[in-house]
Amino acid sequence: MKIENKTIDQNSPIFFIAEAGVNHNGSIDKAIELVDIAIRSGADAVKFQTFKAADLNLPNAPKSDYHIETTGNDKKQSWYDLLKTQELTFDMHKTLINYCKKNKIIFMSTPYDIKSIDLLMELGVDAFKVASTDTNNLPFLKYLVGKKKPIILSTAMSSLEDIKESINVFKNEKFNNFALLQCTGNYPSKISDSNLRVMYTYRDEFNCIYGYSDHTLDIINPIAATAMGAKIFEKHFTINKNLPGPDHRMSLNEDELTTTIKLIRETELSLGSNEKKVLESEKDNQKKLRKSIVSVSSIKKGQKISKELISIKRPGLGIPPKYYNK
């Protein structure tokens, strides 16, 4: 998979998506500030969400529990009304895309409806991230596949059968340019609900790039997912966790985002190569810490050497111990 100047494969570093989502609260200034945070933190991409409330929710659609917890259940502001405050206009998209290009970070967005796919295509986006809410939206996926762009599909709230149906849409269109992200559809989610091993199921079932979209408040999943071969990692972040809105409380602040990416890069360094060899950093110690065959008393010229005359001790500058019996 190639997204702008980044190649994602089994040998590449993790592609880190800093999920701004709707944490801009409808403000272009806050959206720009979020891009700046993603840049400073070392993310590969910053991702927003593209939708019109009228094309996404029925006006009377009930808020989810976490929306009620974070934004209240005031009848004066329905979920539909809340979504209206989180929309990005066409011009706001253009501003963000141009700002990302200027500052050399990849702009991404999740479309939530057909019109949003068309809008992002018009703006020239290079890849699509599909939210877990559309894993089972097969007509939506078929339309998206027709755009011939890489697709990263999150899979929260789905069974393996649901995901197989989604992948069959790809297969029927002879589309292979996709990745699957394991994800838990709770905000925030518990570590015990992470089920990172599902990534191996995706690898074995679908022979695809896999990764993780993290909704936990803890720091272990970025390290564990990296160690398990994830090649894409996504995490929500915010300017301030105390801002009004549904997602701020389970998002990372700038310091936490920077630390998360740093831990991923350090984990990648520690994984290193699968080639076992003597490293340059080991060679001096190899001589000093290994052992050689040595004499324990004077040995005369021509004397037959017996085990009583020799031992094995440091340093490793002489005859290697493997020749002891010779």
Side-chain angles (χ1 to χ4, degrees):
M1 179 180 288
K2 189 171 176 60
I3 302 176
E4 292 191 15
N5 63 334
K6 297 286 184 178
T7 298
I8 308 170
D9 59 27
Q10 292 308 312
N11 299 311
S12 66
I14 276 186
F15 183 76
F16 191 95
I17 302 172
E19 167 68 280
V22 295
N23 284 345
H24 50 77
N25 288 1
S27 163
I28 188 61
D29 291 335
K30 282 187 172 64
I32 292 290
E33 191 174 349
L34 286 164
V35 174
D36 287 336
I37 290 172
I39 292 167
R40 290 194 295 266
S41 300
D44 296 294
V46 58
K47 191 184 79 63
F48 294 87
Q49 296 177 10
T50 302
F51 60 84
K52 290 293 182 185
D55 297 319
L56 180 57
N57 271 36
L58 289 173
N60 61 347
K63 284 185 177 181
S64 65
D65 288 346
Y66 87 93
H67 278 106
I68 293 172
E69 291 171 9
T70 54
T71 64
N73 201 20
D74 187 348
K75 292 182 179 179
K76 293 179 181 178
Q77 189 193 51
S78 65
W79 191 5
Y80 181 89
D81 295 330
L82 175 63
L83 287 168
K84 288 288 290 181
T85 69
Q86 298 169 332
E87 294 175 352
L88 291 173
T89 66
F90 183 85
D91 288 340
M92 290 166 78
H93 277 83
K94 283 183 68 175
T95 298
L96 287 170
I97 289 170
N98 290 335
Y99 191 78
C100 287
K101 284 181 180 177
K102 180 181 175 182
N103 290 280
K104 295 180 172 55
I105 188 170
I106 295 171
F107 171 92
M108 294 184 70
S109 190
T110 293
Y112 281 86
D113 54 77
I114 299 297
K115 291 178 184 176
S116 295
I117 294 173
D118 292 340
L119 183 147
L120 291 172
M121 283 297 295
E122 184 178 347
L123 290 165
V125 299
D126 206 45
F128 289 103
K129 164 69 201 309
V130 177
S132 298
T133 55
D134 284 308
T135 306
N136 70 334
N137 189 349
L138 305 188
F140 175 87
L141 292 177
K142 183 175 181 179
Y143 187 82
L144 191 59
V145 165
K147 303 307 176 185
K148 309 296 183 186
K149 300 283 187 180
I151 294 174
I152 300 170
L153 176 63
S154 274
T155 58
M157 305 171 292
S158 300
S159 68
L160 185 59
E161 289 307 310
D162 291 332
I163 296 159
K164 284 180 177 178
E165 288 179 350
S166 301
I167 301 307
N168 281 338
V169 172
F170 297 165
K171 287 181 177 178
N172 290 340
E173 301 298 321
K174 296 181 171 55
F175 180 81
N176 296 309
N177 200 10
F178 69 91
L180 294 177
L181 302 188
Q182 163 62 350
C183 184
T184 303
N186 197 11
Y187 311 88
S189 61
K190 301 175 183 177
I191 283 183
S192 57
D193 285 339
S194 298
N195 294 323
L196 292 175
R197 286 194 179 98
V198 170
M199 295 190 298
Y200 288 157
T201 300
Y202 293 163
R203 176 195 65 190
D204 298 340
E205 285 277 345
F206 307 115
N207 190 30
C208 66
I209 296 166
Y210 60 87
Y212 191 72
S213 180
D214 192 10
H215 293 148
T216 68
L217 296 176
D218 304 276
I219 206 70
I220 190 64
N221 281 346
I223 298 169
T226 304
M228 292 176 68
K231 289 302 170 183
I232 301 171
F233 198 91
E234 179 182 62
K235 183 68 179 173
H236 282 260
F237 74 106
T238 184
I239 298 164
N240 186 327
K241 294 185 183 187
N242 294 319
L243 285 170
D247 294 337
H248 295 285
R249 72 169 184 178
M250 47 76 66
S251 300
L252 303 178
N253 62 30
E254 181 172 349
D255 287 345
E256 291 168 333
L257 181 64
T258 301
T259 297
T260 297
I261 296 173
K262 181 173 180 285
L263 286 171
I264 284 174
R265 299 309 176 207
E266 288 177 345
T267 304
E268 289 173 328
L269 280 175
S270 77
L271 289 171
S273 168
N274 59 7
E275 179 188 359
K276 182 58 182 170
K277 63 181 180 179
V278 179
L279 303 175
E280 284 298 322
S281 62
E282 297 177 311
K283 286 182 178 177
D284 186 58
N285 281 336
Q286 183 188 47
K287 295 174 184 177
K288 295 174 181 176
L289 300 181
R290 281 191 163 187
K291 299 173 183 176
S292 303
I293 300 173
V294 299
S295 61
V296 295
S297 63
S298 296
I299 302 174
K300 295 177 182 179
K301 183 177 181 180
Q303 182 178 357
K304 184 177 181 180
I305 297 175
S306 65
K307 290 183 179 181
E308 290 72 30
L309 295 175
I310 59 174
S311 183
I312 297 172
K313 298 181 181 180
R314 287 173 177 161
L317 300 173
I319 299 170
K322 66 182 178 180
Y323 295 116
Y324 182 82
N325 289 323
K326 293 188 178 182

